Amino acid sequence: MEYWKDTLEKLWDRDNAEVLLASHRGKFSSSVMENTSLAFLTAMGEGAHMMEMDIDITRDGGLVGHHDKTMDRLFRKPTKISDWTLEELKQLPLYNYVGEICEETIETFDEMIRPLKDKTVVVLDKCWDYWDPVYEQLKELDMVPQAIFKFYLEDEKAYRWAADHRDCSFIPMSRDVSAFGRLLELKNSTKVPALEILPRKPEDDIFRESSFSWLSEHGFKVWCNSLSLAKRLVYGAGFDDLKSLRYGGDLGWKELIDRGVTIIQTDWPYEVRKYIRTRKTI
């Protein structure tokens, strides 16, 4: 069964209030590395509906799964992916989350997504500077309908590319309500089922009830991160995974859901799904 079609049907159904879960870089730990097919397949098994992934490009034009601006964290090298060829990268040791060299190597975009074909929705983040080769590879695999592109709504180059590609779907990101008019214009040009909001505080304008009402009235669902990556990084107005895991989902995920968030990006898909199921039985 093609579960990704069920997910997209729910995403586009304005009357469907089911909360969809987007797995942040897949489910990874120890030697299961982020942005790899194994991480994404594991996240699927934990109940995630969408696989958010990051793509970088090598010096010779190869597409690989990688998030950071530099290679310090995973390769112990102060260089960029674009400084290396794909073959050179494949030969470099990859460090896991306990600081040891793991058996895996960096995966190409093809290696990441081919095992996901006809299985799940892939959400493409951090690749807006080279959408053309990403798009071409998706077309070769007949996976364009499975893909959603993310970009900052204020990025003029990405905005124009999105408007010119009516066969693709997009979830732009913004923390500014003044961009709502621009969002509506984009929807008139291409497929935009949702907006990712980026609130830092509960009182941020984009997190107000009036903003959720406007988005709902105009046919947009709301994506919001519940990530807790670092003290300096605040997601979901502070109603994040860490707060939910430590004090219970009613003090974290519930606040997002009750506000009107219908897509939660998380590092803990199994736990969020379990919480949502518990809510339904109460």
Side-chain angles (χ1 to χ4, degrees), residues 229-261:
L229 302 180
K231 187 174 182 178
R232 64 182 176 84
L233 300 174
V234 179
Y235 295 97
F239 302 114
D240 59 18
D241 289 337
L242 183 59
K243 179 175 288 185
S244 302
L245 294 168
R246 177 171 288 164
Y247 302 111
D250 283 353
L251 295 182
W253 301 317
K254 180 179 185 295
E255 295 291 338
L256 301 179
I257 296 169
D258 287 353
R259 191 67 59 111
V261 172

Side-chain angles (χ1 to χ4, degrees), residues 33 56 71 124 197:
M33 302 300 293
D56 211 333
M71 298 164 59
L124 307 166
I197 62 171

Side-chain angles (χ1 to χ4, degrees), residues 8 13 43 85 106 123-124 161 172 201 222 233 241:
L8 289 184
D13 184 353
T85 67
I106 193 169
V123 181
L124 307 166
W161 195 97
K201 299 175 293 184
V222 179
L233 300 174
D241 289 337

Side-chain angles (χ1 to χ4, degrees), residues 55-66 71 75 80-92 106-109 130 133-134:
I55 307 164
D56 211 333
I57 193 165
T58 66
R59 192 173 75 228
D60 55 345
L63 297 171
V64 295
H66 188 260
M71 298 164 59
F75 292 91
K80 298 180 180 179
I81 292 292
S82 58
D83 294 328
W84 302 76
T85 67
L86 178 57
E87 184 177 353
E88 289 170 340
L89 280 173
K90 282 289 192 178
Q91 301 304 315
L92 291 179
I106 193 169
E107 284 193 356
T108 65
F109 182 43
Y130 26 88
V134 170

Side-chain angles (χ1 to χ4, degrees), residues 8-282:
L8 289 184
E9 184 177 338
K10 294 171 183 176
L11 179 64
W12 285 103
D13 184 353
R14 294 180 59 170
D15 297 323
N16 190 310
E18 179 179 344
V19 177
L20 302 175
L21 303 180
S23 177
H24 176 237
R25 308 183 203 176
K27 184 62 180 180
F28 53 92
S29 182
S30 301
S31 284
V32 178
M33 302 300 293
E34 64 190 59
N35 287 313
T36 62
S37 55
L38 179 56
F40 297 129
L41 292 170
T42 302
M44 284 179 56
E46 294 200 352
H49 305 89
M50 308 178 185
M51 303 299 132
E52 184 265 0
M53 58 183 66
D54 309 286
I55 307 164
D56 211 333
I57 193 165
T58 66
R59 192 173 75 228
D60 55 345
L63 297 171
V64 295
H66 188 260
H67 172 273
D68 301 352
K69 291 182 179 179
T70 72
M71 298 164 59
D72 284 304
R73 181 170 60 94
L74 298 182
F75 292 91
R76 305 292 198 267
K77 292 188 178 296
T79 53
K80 298 180 180 179
I81 292 292
S82 58
D83 294 328
W84 302 76
T85 67
L86 178 57
E87 184 177 353
E88 289 170 340
L89 280 173
K90 282 289 192 178
Q91 301 304 315
L92 291 179
L94 185 64
Y95 288 80
N96 65 18
Y97 297 98
V98 293
E100 298 288 344
I101 296 174
C102 67
E103 296 182 12
E104 306 296 323
T105 61
I106 193 169
E107 284 193 356
T108 65
F109 182 43
D110 183 83
E111 290 170 334
M112 290 165 58
I113 65 167
R114 190 177 289 272
L116 307 180
K117 182 175 171 59
D118 295 329
K119 294 178 181 176
T120 187
V121 174
V122 297
V123 181
L124 307 166
D125 196 6
K126 293 216 168 185
C127 62
W128 41 80
D129 290 328
Y130 26 88
W131 271 351
D132 284 329
V134 170
Y135 174 65
E136 290 303 318
Q137 193 154 345
L138 287 170
K139 285 203 299 183
E140 289 177 11
L141 292 172
D142 193 25
M143 290 183 67
V144 172
Q146 272 183 255
I148 294 175
F149 293 79
K150 284 175 60 178
F151 70 102
Y152 288 100
L153 193 53
E154 296 78 10
D155 184 334
E156 186 61 36
K157 178 183 175 183
Y159 185 94
R160 292 197 305 270
W161 195 97
D164 290 339
H165 288 77
R166 299 181 67 89
D167 59 332
C168 298
S169 298
F170 302 88
I171 296 182
M173 303 174 279
S174 185
R175 57 173 49 92
D176 191 349
V177 296
S178 66
F180 281 3
R182 185 174 173 85
L183 176 67
L184 204 55
E185 290 176 3
L186 183 63
K187 186 179 181 182
N188 292 330
S189 301
T190 191
K191 295 183 288 188
V192 186
L195 174 71
E196 178 177 334
I197 62 171
L198 305 167
R200 294 191 182 97
K201 299 175 293 184
E203 58 268 25
D204 284 355
D205 286 343
I206 200 130
F207 202 63
R208 294 185 185 278
E209 183 178 346
S210 57
S211 297
F212 282 85
S213 295
W214 187 94
L215 290 167
S216 178
E217 289 168 6
H218 290 85
F220 298 102
K221 293 200 172 182
V222 179
W223 171 309
C224 190
N225 296 341
S226 64
L227 308 175
S228 49
L229 302 180
K231 187 174 182 178
R232 64 182 176 84
L233 300 174
V234 179
Y235 295 97
F239 302 114
D240 59 18
D241 289 337
L242 183 59
K243 179 175 288 185
S244 302
L245 294 168
R246 177 171 288 164
Y247 302 111
D250 283 353
L251 295 182
W253 301 317
K254 180 179 185 295
E255 295 291 338
L256 301 179
I257 296 169
D258 287 353
R259 191 67 59 111
V261 172
T262 50
I263 310 163
I264 296 178
Q265 177 170 283
T266 178
D267 285 318
W268 303 88
Y270 175 83
E271 285 75 12
V272 183
R273 186 183 183 194
K274 182 179 178 181
Y275 170 73
I276 292 173
R277 285 180 169 177
T278 300
R279 285 189 72 192
K280 291 180 179 179
T281 62
I282 296 176

